[in-house]
Each structure stands twice: as C-alpha cells, then as structure tokens.
Amino acid sequence: MLAIAALAIKKTVTLFALVGPVSMIPIFLSATDGLDLAARLRFARTIGVSVTVALLVAAFLGLPLLSFLGVSLGAMQVGGGIIVLLLAIAMVLGKETSFKGSPANGGQPERREASIVPLAVPLLAGPAAFSYVMGNSVWDSRLDLIHVVLPIVLVGLSCWLSFRIACTAGREIRQATLNVVERVSGFILSAMAIEMMATGLRQLFPLLGGA
C-alpha cells in the first residue's frame, strides 16, 4: 500500500508539471475577459472537469483508440502543436476573439461563452500529458487503480483551484497589464507549439533526430 501511495504521489507531481495550470492563468484571464465573476467561476469548474475527463479517457481508452484509428502519438503532437501555434499568433496580434468563443445570445457580448478548446485541450491536457498517462496507466489489480485515477483527479482539481483563485485576483489586474501579459504569453506559447510539433515530427520521421 505504501508503494502504491508513493507511486501515486510521484505521478501526481509529474502530471501537474506536464499540465501546468499555473502557467495557463494569463491565458485563462484572457479567455474570460469580459465575463462576469459567476461566468468565470463556472468556466474554471468546467475546465477542471474537462481536463479530468480528458485524461481519464486517455488513461483507459487512449492507446486502443489511437491504434484503432491508425493515429500515432507523433501525429497527435503535431496536430496539437498547430492548434496551439494558431492561438499563440492570435494572442500576439491581439485577435484572439475566436479563442474566447462565440456570443451565445443574439450577439450580446455580456453573454459570451468561453470555449474549453484549446485551453482545456490541448493546452492543459495536451500531447505531453496524454502521452504520460497512456504510458503509465498499467494496473494488475483494482488496488493499482489508485495510482492511475487519483493523480488525474488531483491534477484536475488543481486546475479548478488555480483558475478559481485567478477569477478573484484577476479583478485587481488592470487591462493594460493583461494585454502585455497576453502578448508575452502568446510569444512563449508559440515556442511551446513549435517544440510540440518538433517532437511529433521526430517521432513520425526518426531520421529528423539525427544520427
């Protein structure tokens, strides 16, 4: 039991680092710009649930599903990288309207609904996190399910808590500051996107990795 608990803690720390909810707070604030506090809190909860569900699906069905569809992890990394790169370019140019979702009621901006894509998937629950849970979700008994399920649930909870705290703190941040942070975050995201695509391309084309 102690070994399982230690493994669960190790996997939780690793998965938290791969998901990185704290680093996504500026993007969360940008995505929810213009929403009232209640809507931001609902979106924070939705993101936490979405990340948890996505990673649980990856843990239990990911590899069989990819095999059935004939899709490799490398292809998933390239596709996710392209989505992230498009978002990063939009953020740098200040044209991230599509990232925030579409108006939900007759075009009224105050009813705008933020989208879980691409914040929940593939920015939080992205190729790196998917690959990790797919490769570390082997169990021999029901007791082993603790180190498979618990880390995912805890990381999803950390996403919700991080963004919930940001909902309150974000009200104290001036819009000009958010604009600067958004563009800097977009530049960093572009580098992350290129790295995601490069990793995927090396898996698809091993010769690109060099000798």
Side-chain angles (χ1 to χ4, degrees):
M1 188 64 184
L2 290 177
I4 292 178
L7 182 58
I9 293 174
K10 177 182 178 181
K11 292 175 68 173
T12 300
V13 173
T14 302
L15 188 59
F16 179 84
L18 291 174
V19 173
V22 176
S23 65
M24 292 295 114
I25 286 178
I27 301 173
F28 171 83
L29 295 176
S30 174
T32 56
D33 182 31
L35 299 180
D36 58 27
L37 180 59
R40 283 189 171 193
L41 291 174
R42 287 196 301 270
F43 187 49
R45 183 175 63 249
T46 300
I47 290 295
V49 172
S50 299
V51 169
T52 302
V53 171
L55 292 178
L56 285 174
V57 170
F60 290 99
L61 301 176
L63 290 178
L65 181 60
L66 289 181
S67 178
F68 175 76
L69 296 175
V71 177
S72 66
L73 287 176
M76 185 174 68
Q77 288 176 315
V78 173
I82 292 174
I83 294 174
V84 175
L85 180 60
L86 292 175
L87 167 63
I89 293 173
M91 290 177 65
V92 171
L93 297 179
K95 299 181 180 295
E96 74 291 349
T97 304
S98 60
F99 172 52
K100 298 178 183 178
S102 56
N105 184 21
Q108 298 298 322
E110 63 272 14
R111 295 297 302 277
R112 183 182 297 278
E113 295 292 337
S115 172
I116 63 173
V117 177
L119 182 52
V121 180
L123 291 181
L124 290 166
F130 282 146
S131 300
Y132 181 77
V133 297
M134 287 179 189
N136 292 273
S137 296
V138 179
W139 66 91
D140 298 319
S141 66
R142 292 183 179 180
L143 193 60
D144 288 332
L145 287 175
I146 294 176
H147 67 74
V148 174
V149 175
L150 185 60
I152 294 175
V153 173
L154 290 178
V155 169
L157 182 62
S158 73
C159 292
W160 170 60
L161 290 176
S162 298
F163 296 142
R164 181 179 176 84
I165 294 172
C167 289
T168 303
R171 293 182 299 176
E172 308 300 326
I173 303 176
R174 299 181 60 179
Q175 184 59 46
T177 302
L178 284 177
N179 290 338
V180 173
V181 171
E182 178 183 342
R183 281 155 179 76
V184 173
S185 299
F187 180 75
I188 296 174
L189 272 182
S190 66
M192 293 172 59
I194 297 299
E195 188 63 35
M196 289 168 61
M197 287 188 286
T199 301
L201 287 171
R202 283 194 293 268
Q203 290 193 17
L204 292 173
F205 307 101
L207 291 178
L208 294 177

